[in-house]
Amino acid sequence: MSKWKLAAGMVPNDRETNNVKPTWENSTSPSGKVSETGDQEYLNLWTEHFADFSGKILEIGAGTGFLAHNILQRNSNVDYSILDLEAHFKEIQHTLKDYPDVSFIKSSEYKKIFEQEWDLLVETHCLSETPIYYYTDIFENLSVKNCFVVDYGNTYEDPVFQPTLDKWFDETFSTKQRLTNNKLLGGDKKDIPVYIGKSSVD
């Protein structure tokens, strides 16, 4: 029996879809104003918690590829994969042109990420913008050892996301840090939750 019961009417139909909310249904490019301060703060957090990381990384929703580029630049011996809308691949690949070995998985084929174990999940402000069935399926079936997650949902629009994320985080990692940060992109003096999960103490 599923640990996360899907809300009525939120199960996808049989046709291939990009598994997105209407906002992103016809998206051809990542959008949103990029803040240098916010971007730098993501890198500060990465350096603080994963400076010496090596292994297989899955990033869900890579935006323009900014964070992926900086991780690949800083960390050696990293095998990087990105799950995103196929329509966004071209822009991300341009950002990552110096890293041709990065793998891409279409959101319409997201179940492929369940076929292997990942050393680290990177996710920033993405899963909260996807349908309930999509993120619950990912949280329930993804096999991952560590996580770097920065995300919070709009509880008015989707009261399921935050408790689902919290439950997954609590049950998946033996070492857990919940931080808050108001310097992150989109913060504007609002404390944004940061989830640092590890399978064991370093």
Side-chain angles (χ1 to χ4, degrees):
M1 186 173 176
S2 172
K3 289 185 285 184
W4 291 281
K5 184 179 287 186
L6 302 184
M10 295 305 293
V11 179
N13 56 33
D14 291 333
R15 62 183 169 81
E16 182 180 84
T17 69
N18 285 321
N19 300 298
V20 293
K21 288 182 177 177
T23 304
W24 294 98
E25 189 173 3
N26 298 309
S27 175
T28 58
S29 175
S31 63
K33 187 174 181 180
V34 176
S35 161
E36 291 181 13
T37 303
D39 283 345
Q40 184 57 49
E41 192 62 20
Y42 287 118
L43 302 183
N44 292 343
L45 286 166
W46 175 265
T47 301
E48 180 181 352
H49 298 283
F50 295 103
D52 299 322
F53 179 84
S54 63
K56 288 168 54 177
I57 296 177
L58 171 67
E59 181 172 8
I60 300 179
T64 61
F66 170 86
L67 187 56
H69 182 273
N70 281 276
I71 290 173
L72 288 161
Q73 200 171 49
R74 287 164 168 73
N75 296 67
S76 58
N77 195 26
V78 165
D79 180 358
Y80 213 101
S81 296
I82 291 171
L83 171 67
D84 211 318
L85 292 172
E86 185 177 12
H88 294 180
F89 286 0
K90 184 175 181 180
E91 185 166 341
I92 300 169
Q93 286 167 337
H94 177 73
T95 303
L96 303 179
K97 59 184 180 294
D98 295 331
Y99 303 97
D101 293 333
V102 172
S103 300
F104 288 83
I105 303 165
K106 304 173 188 177
S107 62
S108 60
E109 300 175 353
Y110 78 96
K111 289 181 184 288
K112 288 182 177 180
I113 66 175
F114 305 148
E115 296 171 1
Q116 56 185 301
E117 183 177 53
W118 303 92
D119 294 308
L120 175 67
L121 168 66
V122 174
E123 190 269 303
T124 57
H125 303 292
C126 171
L127 286 177
S128 61
E129 297 185 355
T130 64
I132 294 174
Y133 71 81
Y134 181 76
Y135 64 71
T136 52
D137 199 20
I138 288 175
F139 284 136
E140 182 171 330
N141 292 293
L142 187 69
S143 179
V144 64
K145 296 177 182 177
N146 307 280
C147 80
F148 176 52
V149 171
V150 181
D151 208 343
Y152 63 96
N154 182 331
T155 55
Y156 176 78
E157 293 180 357
D158 180 0
V160 177
F161 178 77
Q162 197 65 54
T164 302
L165 170 59
D166 288 337
K167 180 179 176 65
W168 168 79
F169 184 71
D170 288 337
E171 294 181 354
T172 303
F173 306 102
S174 57
T175 303
K176 298 176 277 287
Q177 285 183 275
R178 277 187 180 86
L179 314 172
T180 56
N181 191 307
N182 59 20
K183 297 178 183 177
L184 287 161
L185 176 64
D188 298 327
K189 300 182 180 180
K190 176 179 180 180
D191 287 335
I192 294 179
V194 179
Y195 297 78
I196 305 294
K198 299 187 178 182
S199 57
S200 60
V201 179
D202 291 335

